[in-house]
Amino acid sequence: AQSVTQPDIHITVSEGASLELRCNYSYGATPYLFWYVQSPGQGLQLLLKYFSGDTLVQGIKGFEAEFKRSQSSFNLRKPSVHWSDAAEYFCAIRLTGNQFYFGTGTSLTVIP
Amino acid sequence: ETGVTQTPRHLVMGMTNKKSLKCEQHLGHNAMYWYKQSAKKPLELMFVYSLEERVENNSVPSRFSPECPNSSHLFLHLHTLQPEDSALYLCASSQDTGLAYEQYFGPGTRLTVT
């Protein structure tokens, strides 16, 4: 069965430090891959997506993600975290227009 | 109003009540979606509408009844809910249901069933 795993439930980083959020998926082929961010009281906002081509994808707010087929991973990174990045982050895969699978999310806390 | 709006933002209802959640998108999109977000569980896609026709129903109990009167509005009618139905219900829209189309989410309705 298809699934998305985000192994880190909660991560705390210092402002200015680098960040990497992990995402692994289970699917027989390469799905469409997404990272979303959800701030408190808000809906999900798309950070970036990967369909094909260059495996390093740039997104909004200084985020990037790298697709590694051999590891079935799509990890999200940011070189220097800002306090405003504190939020919940969701990795998702899309197999068809109507098959969308999300991970359970990683909560990010940023300390001054 | 811009983007995707949802009303009410918070709703408390008893198990015997009937209520409705409303979603409106101001983006000119053709596809709309209902999701359920429960604590510590993955986001679950409930329903998909394309041009006002339901194209997906992911084994959702019949106590949830969607309605899409036009491409801008989506409702979720609720009746005889259970406490485990308490969750954040998110609405989203996209230009179409194809893989490449980004979904835009509303802020959600926080539902508590007592």
Side-chain angles (χ1 to χ4, degrees), chain A:
Chain A
Q2 302 83 11
S3 68
V4 178
T5 302
Q6 293 181 248
D8 303 305
I9 296 174
H10 185 237
I11 284 182
T12 299
V13 298
S14 299
E15 192 168 14
S18 63
L19 171 71
E20 182 169 30
L21 302 182
R22 295 182 290 166
C23 173
N24 292 92
Y25 65 90
S26 173
Y27 181 57
T30 299
Y32 283 33
L33 296 151
F34 304 82
W35 273 101
Y36 287 87
V37 61
Q38 185 179 32
S39 298
Q42 302 295 318
L44 278 66
Q45 181 184 20
L46 181 67
L47 284 175
L48 46 79
K49 57 189 176 185
Y50 174 78
F51 294 160
S52 64
D54 191 346
T55 56
L56 186 62
V57 181
Q58 301 297 319
I60 62 171
K61 305 185 179 188
F63 286 93
E64 66 178 26
E66 185 172 14
F67 169 61
K68 292 186 177 180
R69 186 189 309 274
S70 61
Q71 299 176 19
S72 297
S73 69
F74 189 54
N75 293 348
L76 182 71
R77 300 195 294 249
K78 186 169 184 177
S80 178
V81 170
H82 188 262
W83 64 267
S84 60
D85 293 324
E88 189 92 16
Y89 291 81
F90 294 91
C91 180
I93 63 173
R94 193 170 191 178
L95 309 181
T96 68
N98 301 329
Q99 289 185 295
F100 226 137
Y101 298 91
F102 284 78
T104 50
T106 297
S107 177
L108 174 66
T109 297
V110 180
I111 55 177

Side-chain angles (χ1 to χ4, degrees), chain B residues 61-77:
Chain B
S62 59
R63 57 185 183 269
F64 295 91
S65 175
E67 178 190 2
C68 189
N70 55 63
S71 60
S72 298
H73 294 86
L74 184 65
F75 294 89
L76 188 62
H77 304 299

Side-chain angles (χ1 to χ4, degrees), chain A residues 38 41 43 90 94 97 100 102, chain B residues 9 37 42 97 101-103 106:
Chain A
Q38 185 179 32
F90 294 91
R94 193 170 191 178
F100 226 137
F102 284 78
Chain B
R9 294 294 307 274
Q37 186 177 25
T97 55
Y101 293 104
E102 176 182 346
Q103 293 188 357

